[in-house]
Amino acid sequence: SRPILDMSYSRHFLDFQGSSIPSSMKKLVVTKLSQNFREAVTLQQDSSVPLPGDGDLLVRNRFVGINASDINYSAGRYDASVKPPFDIGFEGVGEVVALGLSASADYTVGQAVAYVKAGSFAEYTVVPAKQAVPLPSVKPEFLTLMVSGATAYLSLKELGNLSEGKKVLVTAAAGGTGQFAVQLAKKAKCHVIGTCSSDEKGGFLKSIGCDRTINYKTENVESVLRKDYPEGVDVVYESVGGKMFDLALNALAIKGRLIVIGFIAGYQNPTGLQPIKAELLPAKLLKKSASVQGFFLNHYLSDYKMALQHLLKMYERGDLVCEVDFGDMSPEGKFTGLESVFRAVDYMYMGKNIGKIVVELPHSVNSKL
């Protein structure tokens, strides 16, 4: 038995007894700090389902998003003061199944919501109502916008200074966030170049408006840029790091801007970094009046809601493709259930995904919702 407040005084509340909310659930927990996700993370079978406080929602997760930074989090790189065990997973989409009294002013049971908050790799997550985003329905496409879409939108808006005719290079362009950088740069009437690792990804990029795709497995990126863009590129949206960072830096035009939104090439290394030729950075920037700027979504949260509403409207109007990869083409098939998060992380680091990797959490059909 668990202590449950008598919630029968409001239709907003779901009576735990009459619902299919169990008392225990599965969730993923970081039990050891490591950049090896499988070593760091444990699937716990019988964690207690958390209770929402006064201003909280209890969300039953239906879709959770995989991010390259999941392994930075499991390695303890974001906050050295946090010690294992701790919950993992940054974003989810699901239904509200219970909520606190003040939260009931804005939300009701059964409502579809999305959120960005640590602890989404679980069957149920408590989300402060203030941090939740109400949605018209539970769809995995909405999940692509929460971290990936918002990162592309805000970084290009704040740092990109895009305008008609500018040349924009997007690295890992067919990935979860690259797909949005390509589309948003096209909407700003820029000429967009995208790097990718297969012809299939190149075909996807062309379908969303990419002007020139470079398959780095079959083409030399440096040669293509030098030959086709002798004057350089104006903006680089860079998420790979290592050699790709060096290439992108060298390809900048006069007054060019390189925006670093990640460096996935190094995340699996013990240090989290892959060497770059940074000693020449001051000279290279000076020679071109160029700039390199980092972008981390957490530092732009004051603009986050605005960005998300804008992206949601674009998607609902049909102006934005939100490509979801459920891993159907992976060796063991679709990513279903929390146990498949491990496979999904591996799949991303093998560079197989087109669009945002999403894991579906199926639920039993005997629920009232």
Side-chain angles (χ1 to χ4, degrees), residues 226-291:
R226 201 180 294 130
K227 177 172 159 288
D228 292 1
Y229 304 96
E231 301 289 302
V233 295
D234 302 296
V235 179
V236 182
Y237 183 88
E238 216 296 274
S239 61
V240 176
K243 287 178 182 154
M244 190 63 84
F245 174 89
D246 289 326
L247 281 178
L249 181 68
N250 292 339
L252 283 177
I254 303 294
K255 298 184 185 173
R257 290 175 298 287
L258 193 156
I259 306 168
V260 176
I261 64 117
F263 39 94
I264 191 170
Y267 290 175
Q268 289 181 298
N269 296 350
T271 61
L273 294 167
Q274 204 180 32
I276 55 168
K277 296 172 184 160
E279 315 88 62
L280 303 172
L281 189 62
K284 286 181 178 178
L285 296 179
L286 182 63
K287 187 177 161 191
K288 295 178 174 176
S289 294
S291 65

Side-chain angles (χ1 to χ4, degrees), residues 23-197:
S23 56
S24 66
M25 66 172 186
K26 292 180 186 174
K27 72 172 179 177
L28 294 186
V29 178
V30 176
T31 48
K32 171 191 169 187
L33 295 183
S34 170
Q35 76 282 354
N36 180 328
F37 193 82
R38 287 178 183 269
E39 272 182 23
V41 179
T42 305
L43 175 61
Q44 295 191 346
Q45 300 281 351
D46 55 355
S47 297
S48 295
V49 172
L51 283 173
D54 181 57
D56 297 333
L57 313 173
L58 180 63
V59 178
R60 180 170 67 191
N61 294 314
R62 290 273 303 282
F63 299 103
V64 293
I66 304 294
N67 291 285
S69 45
D70 288 329
I71 70 171
N72 285 337
Y73 198 61
S74 69
R77 287 178 187 144
Y78 288 146
D79 186 349
S81 66
V82 179
K83 302 286 180 249
F86 55 87
D87 297 348
I88 190 165
F90 291 131
E91 53 186 342
V93 166
E95 304 104 348
V96 175
V97 289
L99 67 177
L101 185 56
S102 0
S104 70
D106 299 305
Y107 289 92
T108 60
V109 162
Q111 190 162 354
V113 292
Y115 64 89
V116 175
K117 177 184 178 282
S120 71
F121 292 164
E123 291 178 313
Y124 296 86
T125 303
V126 166
V127 179
K130 287 189 181 126
Q131 289 178 26
V133 178
L135 297 174
S137 61
V138 175
K139 282 171 76 172
E141 285 78 9
F142 292 126
L143 196 53
T144 67
L145 302 174
M146 300 301 295
V147 171
S148 301
T151 295
Y153 178 82
L154 284 169
S155 63
L156 290 173
K157 180 173 179 286
E158 298 293 324
L159 310 178
N161 195 16
L162 301 183
S163 59
E164 187 169 355
K166 290 272 171 79
K167 297 178 192 74
V168 179
L169 171 65
V170 180
T171 63
T177 182
Q179 63 171 328
F180 295 110
V182 168
Q183 293 178 79
L184 294 167
K186 275 311 289 180
K187 297 215 177 301
K189 299 186 172 160
C190 297
H191 176 93
V192 184
I193 309 133
T195 70
C196 62
S197 60

